C-alpha cells in the first residue's frame, strides 16, 4: 500500500543509548518531516527535508540528527537518548504544486518511544 | 511568522449535534489550510483541505471554508456521530521561504456520546 512506513512502532531505550527511527515513503514526495507529539504540546517539528540531500531544522532539533540520501527514506537518529525524548514520533511526506499550493501531508502511524 | 490558533477542548457533544471547531491563522504568504484527524492510538489523517480563498474543503460530512478576510478555517459538521470522536488539528503550509513546513494548532479533543 502506498504511504509512509515507520519502524519500529514501539521502542524502549535506556538513557544514553542511541537509535534510529526509520521512515520510508513510496509516493515520490519531495518533502519529508519528523514531528514529536507530547500531551498538551501538540505536534512540534523536529527536522524536515525539501529533497534528497537537503535538510533543515525545525522547532526542536536538539538531540536529533537526520539525513536524506534518497527521496524515499528519511531516518531520524537519537544521538544519546534522554527521558525528555520520551514521546510519539511521526514522519510525514508531501508534494507541492507549482506555485506552492500543497496536496497535504501523509503521516506514518508513529513510533512510541520511552526513554528510561 | 506563521501560526495556527484553534479553540481549546475538550468538546463534548451528543450524537447528531452540530459541531464547530474554530481555527484562525497567521501567515506571511498565501497558505494552504488543512484539517487533520487523529483517532485514538493512530497517526494523523488528512480530513480536508483548501488551497485558496473561498475554497470549501469537505469530506465525510465535515466542511471548512477558507476565509481570507477573517483569516479563518472553521471546521463544521451538521450531525456528529460517536465514530467522530477524535482529536482534530488545524494546520497550514505557506509558500515562499517556509515552503514544506506544516504549522499545527494545539488540537481539539472531540468526544461524542450516544
Amino acid at each position: 500500500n502506498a504511504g509512509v512506513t515507520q519502524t519500529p512502532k514501539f521502542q524502549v531505550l535506556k538513557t544514553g543509548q542511541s537509535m534510529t527511527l526509520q521512515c520510508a515513503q513510496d509516493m515520490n514526495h519531495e518533502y519529508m518531516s519528523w514531528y514529536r507529539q507530547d500531551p498538551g504540546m501538540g505536534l512540534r517539528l523536529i527536522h524536515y527535508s525539501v529533497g534528497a540531500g537537503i535538510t533543515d531544522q525545525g522547532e526542536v532539533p536538539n538531540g536529533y540528527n537526520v539525513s536524506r540520501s534518497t527521496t524515499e527514506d528519511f531516518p531520524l537518529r537519537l544521538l544519546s537518548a534522554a527521558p525528555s525524548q520520551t514521546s510519539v514520533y511521526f514522519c510525514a511526506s508531501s508534494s507541492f504544486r507549482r506555485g506552492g499550493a500543497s496536496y497535504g501531508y501523509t503521516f506514518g502511524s508513529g513510533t512510541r518511544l520511552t526513554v528510561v | 511568522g506563521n501560526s495556527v490558533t484553534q479553540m481549546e477542548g475538550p468538546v463534548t457533544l451528543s450524537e447528531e449535534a452540530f459541531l464547530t471547531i474554530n481555527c484562525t491563522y497567521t501567515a506571511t504568504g498565501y497558505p494552504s489550510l488543512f484539517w487533520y484527524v487523529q483517532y485514538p492510538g493512530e497517526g494523523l489523517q488528512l480530513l480536508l483541505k483548501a488551497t485558496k480563498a473561498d475554497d470549501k474543503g469537505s469530506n465525510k460530512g465535515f466542511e471548512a471554508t477558507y476565509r481570507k478576510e477573517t483569516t479563518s478555517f472553521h471546521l463544521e459538521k451538521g450531525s456528529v456521530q460517536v465514530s467522530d470522536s477524535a482529536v482534530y488539528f488545524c494546520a497550514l503550509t505557506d509558500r515562499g521561504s517556509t515552503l514544506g513546513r506544516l504549522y499545527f494548532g494545539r488540537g481539539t479533543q472531540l468526544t461524542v456520546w450516544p
Side-chain angles (χ1 to χ4, degrees):
Chain A
N1 291 336
V4 177
T5 303
Q6 288 185 240
T7 55
K9 292 193 183 303
F10 301 95
Q11 183 71 48
V12 178
L13 289 179
K14 294 182 179 179
T15 298
Q17 286 185 315
S18 62
M19 79 160 293
T20 299
L21 307 185
Q22 302 291 344
C23 175
Q25 54 93 6
D26 57 3
M27 297 170 284
N28 201 32
H29 285 170
E30 309 96 332
Y31 295 85
M32 297 186 74
S33 306
W34 277 102
Y35 294 85
R36 59 178 289 174
Q37 185 176 32
D38 303 292
M41 301 294 293
L43 289 105
R44 293 182 290 172
L45 179 65
I46 305 171
H47 286 284
Y48 67 104
S49 169
V50 300
I54 306 170
T55 64
D56 206 348
Q57 296 181 351
E59 303 171 67
V60 288
N62 292 339
Y64 307 94
N65 272 357
V66 292
S67 60
R68 185 99 179 267
S69 56
T70 66
T71 299
E72 294 78 17
D73 300 301
F74 191 45
L76 178 72
R77 297 181 189 83
L78 279 70
L79 308 173
S80 176
S84 60
Q85 294 178 305
T86 293
S87 187
V88 181
Y89 292 84
F90 289 102
C91 180
S93 72
S94 180
S95 61
F96 286 76
R97 301 174 193 164
R98 294 183 71 177
S102 171
Y103 289 105
Y105 272 82
T106 300
F107 281 78
S109 57
T111 295
R112 187 174 296 273
L113 176 69
T114 302
V115 182
V116 298
Chain B
N2 298 321
S3 67
V4 176
T5 303
Q6 65 181 101
M7 65 184 280
E8 295 190 12
V11 174
T12 304
L13 295 173
S14 298
E15 205 164 27
E16 300 183 2
F18 184 86
L19 169 71
T20 300
I21 301 177
N22 290 336
C23 172
T24 57
Y25 67 89
T26 302
T28 55
Y30 197 172
S32 298
L33 303 174
F34 309 92
W35 278 99
Y36 284 88
V37 58
Q38 185 178 32
Y39 298 103
E42 298 185 10
L44 278 76
Q45 300 175 22
L46 179 63
L47 180 61
L48 53 84
K49 69 177 190 289
T51 59
K52 61 182 187 295
D54 300 324
D55 266 2
K56 178 184 284 188
S58 61
N59 187 25
K60 300 181 181 179
F62 291 90
E63 293 183 340
T65 301
Y66 189 144
R67 300 287 188 201
K68 194 167 187 290
E69 64 275 13
T70 54
T71 62
S72 65
F73 193 55
H74 304 320
L75 182 68
E76 296 181 337
K77 187 174 186 183
S79 177
V80 294
Q81 305 300 312
V82 172
S83 57
D84 294 327
S85 298
V87 180
Y88 292 82
F89 292 92
C90 186
L92 71 82
T93 58
D94 206 347
R95 310 179 198 213
S97 62
T98 62
L99 182 67
R101 295 187 63 159
L102 188 60
Y103 297 83
F104 282 98
R106 288 288 184 94
T108 302
Q109 171 77 55
L110 170 67
T111 301
V112 181
W113 297 100

